[in-house]
């Protein structure tokens, strides 16, 4: 199959392909998604084939406005409406009981569904024109870093999907925050663009699923099935070095071999002579780091590096999402250094 590259002026065409059961790469504010009509079981099954995704990993459905929530979810609590009002359209997915319209194909048999109204205007317009909810996982091959540009998605999906809409680079750069509202207190399943602090302001208490911060033990299951998989991983093994920024730079400097990869803050980029260095943003600018983290992990796959070392920010704000993605890329191989 030849994958068409579409632009903003081809929205009608993208919407038609979706409505008719095809697969379309769609830009969102978080990462590019691999979209299909969520009400069409064959189209949804094709998402799993194109990504090589395990069948037990459910999909998020995307809607163009909060008013669609009640079509696909039941028993929508007041807290869901409050979150929607505050953070939609935007990088937040809510897990709620599913309605009869949502099939087992989408939810992998769970009785809940993940639902979000994306902040990317072009994306919402395509869904609105399609007139159907769009199931969309991140547009990477399963296990690879999520794509934040159309070109990155084409690396993985060229020839496997009908079309991709190029909506420019993604503004957030890490996937949406997932909050499970089917338990008390609500539980953060995946940190993302909407921070734990922001959620706590609306919800009061929020529990953090253990899979956010550590590897699951044998027999343990995270509430978001996807959090169990090795993920975001470049080909070379990653070591995350956490702690005071100066101390982490010193640690990497004394352990990295010539030719190794280093992901670092801008301020330290000229220290690692002889290494392949990718700076992801200033130490203070965690939004910028989030925007570049997947691009950095992906870029190393075009190099011969045999090990990757990464400085990482503290866990406040969107830092929690950056730490989580880096830790997952490293298989939770995180070294804490003292200042
Ligand atoms: O920002 C995003 O959320 C992007 C863009 C494209 O919207 N999508 C995305 O989808 O990241 P995906 O499939 O790569 O990640 C969805 C995660 C998986 O870990 C999955 O297991 C979890 O959400 N998930 C989906 N439905 C769930 C449910 N009903 N209960 C718990 N976890 C769920
Ligand atoms: Mg994904």
């Amino acid at each position: 199959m030849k994958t068409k590259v579409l632009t903003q002026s081809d929205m009608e065409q993208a919407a038609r392909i979706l409505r008719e059961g095809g697969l379309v790469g769609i830009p969102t504010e978080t990462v590019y998604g691999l979209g299909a009509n969520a009400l069409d079981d064959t189209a949804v099954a094709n998402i799993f084939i194109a990504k090589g995704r395990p069948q037990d990993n459910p999909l998020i459905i995307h809607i163009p406005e909060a008013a669609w929530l009640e079509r696909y979810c039941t028993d929508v609590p007041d807290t869901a409406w409050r979150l929607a009002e505050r953070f939609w359209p935007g990088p937040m997915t809510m897990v709620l009981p599913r309605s009869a319209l949502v099939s087992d194909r989408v939810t992998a048999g769970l009785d809940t569904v993940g639902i979000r109204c994306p902040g990317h205007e072009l994306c919402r317009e395509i869904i609105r024109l399609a007139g159907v909810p769009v199931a969309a996982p991140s547009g990477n091959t399963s296990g690879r870093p999520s794509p934040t540009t159309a070109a990155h998605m084409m690396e993985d999906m060229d020839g496997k999907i009908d079309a991709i809409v190029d909506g420019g680079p993604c503004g957030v750069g890490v996937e949406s925050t997932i909050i499970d509202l089917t338990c008390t207190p609500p539980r953060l399943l995946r940190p993302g663009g909407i921070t734990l602090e922001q959620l706590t302001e609306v919800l009061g208490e929020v529990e953090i699923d253990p899979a956010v911060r550590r590897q699951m033990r044998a027999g343990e299951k995270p509430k978001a099935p996807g959090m169990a998989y090795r993920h975001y991983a470049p080909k070379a093994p990653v070591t995350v070095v956490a702690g005071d920024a100066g101390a982490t730079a010193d640690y990497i400097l004394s352990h990295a071999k010539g030719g190794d990869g280093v992901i670092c803050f801008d301020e330290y980029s000229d220290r690692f002579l002889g290494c392949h260095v990718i700076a992801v943003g200033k130490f203070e600018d965690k939004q910028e780091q989030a925007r570049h983290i997947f691009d950095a992990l992906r870029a190393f796959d075009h190099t011969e590096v045999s090990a990757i070392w990464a400085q990482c920010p503290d866990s406040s704000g969107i830092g929690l999402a950056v730490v989580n993605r880096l830790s997952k890329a490293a298989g939770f191989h995180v070294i804490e250094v003292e200042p």
Side-chain angles (χ1 to χ4, degrees), residues 234 261-263 276 278 296-305 308:
V262 176
I263 293 174
H276 188 117
I278 300 182
L297 291 168
R298 196 168 265 270
F300 281 120
D301 281 349
H302 299 288
T303 71
E304 294 300 310
V305 303
I308 299 167

Side-chain angles (χ1 to χ4, degrees), residues 30 53 57 62 112 116 137-138 175-176 178 190 223-226:
T30 58
R53 183 178 177 100
N57 194 1
H62 297 67
T112 58
R116 101 171 178 101
S138 50
E175 305 89 337
S176 61
I178 304 180
R190 179 177 72 182
K223 280 198 84 175

Side-chain angles (χ1 to χ4, degrees), residues 31 51 53 57 137-140 144 146 175 190 231-232:
V31 301
K51 273 184 71 90
R53 183 178 177 100
N57 194 1
S138 50
N140 50 287
R144 293 209 68 210
S146 299
E175 305 89 337
R190 179 177 72 182
H231 214 204
Y232 313 128

Side-chain angles (χ1 to χ4, degrees), residues 103-127:
S103 84
D104 279 339
R105 278 271 180 214
V106 170
T107 68
L110 297 177
D111 52 13
T112 58
V113 64
I115 190 160
R116 101 171 178 101
C117 175
H120 200 291
E121 219 166 299
L122 175 56
C123 177
R124 285 201 310 281
E125 191 52 30
I126 293 169
I127 303 170

Side-chain angles (χ1 to χ4, degrees), residues 178-251:
I178 304 180
I179 181 83
D180 185 350
L181 296 176
T182 66
C183 46
T184 312
R187 185 181 279 226
L188 178 72
L189 305 188
R190 179 177 72 182
I194 299 300
T195 65
L196 175 62
E197 293 86 340
Q198 286 174 301
L199 291 175
T200 307
E201 269 175 38
V202 176
L203 297 172
E205 198 186 349
V206 175
E207 207 165 80
I208 303 181
D209 198 72
V212 170
R213 300 208 253 228
R214 63 168 172 83
Q215 189 97 57
M216 292 289 85
R217 304 191 186 101
E220 248 183 340
K221 265 198 187 152
K223 280 198 84 175
M227 293 290 274
Y229 297 108
R230 180 172 152 83
H231 214 204
Y232 313 128
K235 290 173 194 147
V238 180
T239 303
V240 175
V241 188
D244 170 78
T248 60
D250 291 343
Y251 183 94

Side-chain angles (χ1 to χ4, degrees), residues 284-298:
E284 293 286 354
D285 193 348
K286 290 187 272 196
Q287 301 279 350
E288 183 75 0
Q289 294 159 31
R291 243 185 317 274
H292 294 296
I293 202 67
F294 283 136
D295 300 1
L297 291 168
R298 196 168 265 270

